[in-house]
Amino acid sequence: MPPRQRPPRRTPRSVVYRRRFAALAVLVAAIAAVWFIVASVKGGNDSTKTQPTVPVAAPKPFRIVFPEGFTRAQMAQRVAAVAKIAQKERGRKPKLNAATYLAATRRPRFIPGFGKHPLEGFLFPATYDFTGRTTSAQLAKRQLQAFQRNWSRLNLAYARSKNLTPYDVLIIASMVEEETAAPEERQLVAAVIYNRLHLGMRLGIDATLRYGLHIPPTESIHQSQLETPSPYNTSGTTGGHTGLPPTPIGNPGLASLQAAAHPAKANFLFFVRKPDKKHHFFTDSEAAFNAYKAAHGYP
């Protein structure tokens, strides 16, 4: 009889599971490898891949300088001159120009601590940066903010004791700014103004008449102009006005504001420019004042 065949040997179930798990692991590894290769190739050729950016420097802003004592009209002229330079250098017309500056500063506004007034006197003179997008309204706003910052540094106790309002002090500061070239004389000029106001005398400030009648500083003041009735005429005997002019005659800087709030303790009532055209001769005597003028050929 032929030999009897044995039934095939069955593989243990645990071995089958191990083989299937190993095969699955190999398959997953293969798929991951293929995905990594494809992703690497695609990423290397992607034109939209973020590249390191080089920062682009913003255009350097322009600067506009408003000297102390400049009037609103002079500031507009300075705006026009600087805007012209900006256009020439950049090839584009900036938004800032004289016409829009005058328009932005024309109407009276409410100023905290002062009430509603024209902006002459409140447009603080300083150096301001601007770009091609800066508007005149933005520039004027910055000037008003600079004024408030500087004004807040003043102590008005002495001025209040003389029955002067904050606006009076601002007007006095504008006259001090126009009448002085030597910084050490600011408080002396302020003292003359305070003393004359106290005595009810006309101030005799030529700068107020020049402002009111638009007389250039290079021209002499004529007798007919001294007789012109105007609230800005603080000198003339016929058309002269007693007291302060109705508004500031320019935009004073901090030093003149401080002098107007804290005048020197002096009894001076008169002052006249010395031959050096920078300093003044001060006196409380009208006779000495007239003698000094005669000695130096002043009318």
Side-chain angles (χ1 to χ4, degrees):
M1 292 181 64
R4 189 176 179 181
Q5 295 183 353
R6 295 181 179 179
R9 187 176 182 179
R10 300 182 66 181
T11 303
R13 183 172 296 179
S14 59
V15 175
V16 174
Y17 286 159
R18 285 199 298 271
R19 290 176 180 175
R20 289 179 180 179
F21 179 79
L24 180 61
V26 171
L27 178 62
V28 170
I31 294 174
V34 172
W35 178 87
F36 177 79
I37 295 173
V38 172
S40 298
V41 173
K42 183 179 180 181
N45 296 332
D46 190 357
S47 60
T48 62
K49 183 179 181 181
T50 303
Q51 300 293 332
T53 57
V54 178
V56 179
K60 185 177 179 180
F62 295 99
R63 285 190 168 181
I64 184 167
V65 180
F66 293 132
E68 296 173 343
F70 255 33
T71 64
R72 187 175 71 93
Q74 289 173 319
M75 287 180 173
Q77 293 173 356
R78 178 60 59 88
V79 166
V82 175
K84 185 176 181 180
I85 295 173
Q87 181 177 359
K88 183 178 180 181
E89 290 189 5
R90 299 282 167 84
R92 296 182 61 183
K93 189 175 182 179
K95 290 185 177 182
L96 202 62
N97 61 71
T100 57
Y101 183 82
L102 287 173
T105 58
R106 179 173 295 118
R107 295 182 179 180
R109 295 191 193 180
F110 178 83
I111 308 296
F114 291 88
K116 191 173 184 179
H117 293 286
L119 294 189
E120 191 79 280
F122 297 99
L123 300 169
F124 195 76
T127 299
Y128 298 91
D129 290 344
F130 74 96
T131 68
R133 295 179 176 273
T134 303
T135 65
S136 293
Q138 290 172 332
L139 175 58
K141 181 180 179 180
R142 290 168 60 191
Q143 288 184 270
L144 294 175
Q145 291 172 337
F147 172 82
Q148 291 287 359
R149 288 195 302 271
N150 284 275
W151 182 263
S152 66
R153 300 168 64 179
L154 302 185
N155 183 344
L156 300 180
Y158 181 78
R160 285 194 294 266
S161 73
K162 301 300 179 179
N163 297 318
L164 295 175
T165 68
Y167 196 55
D168 292 336
V169 174
L170 181 59
I171 293 173
I172 293 173
S174 73
M175 292 189 288
V176 169
E177 193 72 73
E178 289 300 310
E179 288 292 321
T180 55
E184 66 272 16
E185 292 186 355
R186 288 189 174 99
Q187 287 182 291
L188 295 175
V189 171
V192 171
I193 296 173
Y194 269 70
N195 293 338
R196 282 181 165 248
L197 288 173
H198 177 69
L199 296 175
M201 298 175 63
R202 288 179 180 172
L203 298 180
I205 303 293
D206 290 342
T208 63
L209 183 61
R210 289 186 181 278
Y211 179 85
L213 300 184
H214 307 289
I215 304 172
T218 55
E219 292 184 10
S220 299
I221 297 177
H222 305 295
Q223 185 62 36
S224 60
Q225 294 169 324
L226 287 172
E227 297 174 356
T228 302
S230 167
Y232 291 96
N233 185 356
T234 62
S235 299
T237 55
T238 302
H241 170 73
T242 301
L244 295 171
T247 70
I249 60 173
N251 295 277
L254 178 59
S256 291
L257 292 172
Q258 291 173 330
H262 304 281
K265 294 181 180 180
N267 296 323
F268 296 141
L269 293 173
F270 305 90
F271 66 93
V272 61
R273 196 175 297 276
K274 292 182 177 180
D276 66 2
K277 297 183 178 180
K278 182 178 180 180
H279 298 88
H280 290 89
F281 168 75
F282 292 88
T283 180
D284 61 352
S285 168
E286 186 174 7
F289 171 70
N290 290 328
Y292 188 92
K293 290 199 302 178
H296 293 86
Y298 296 144

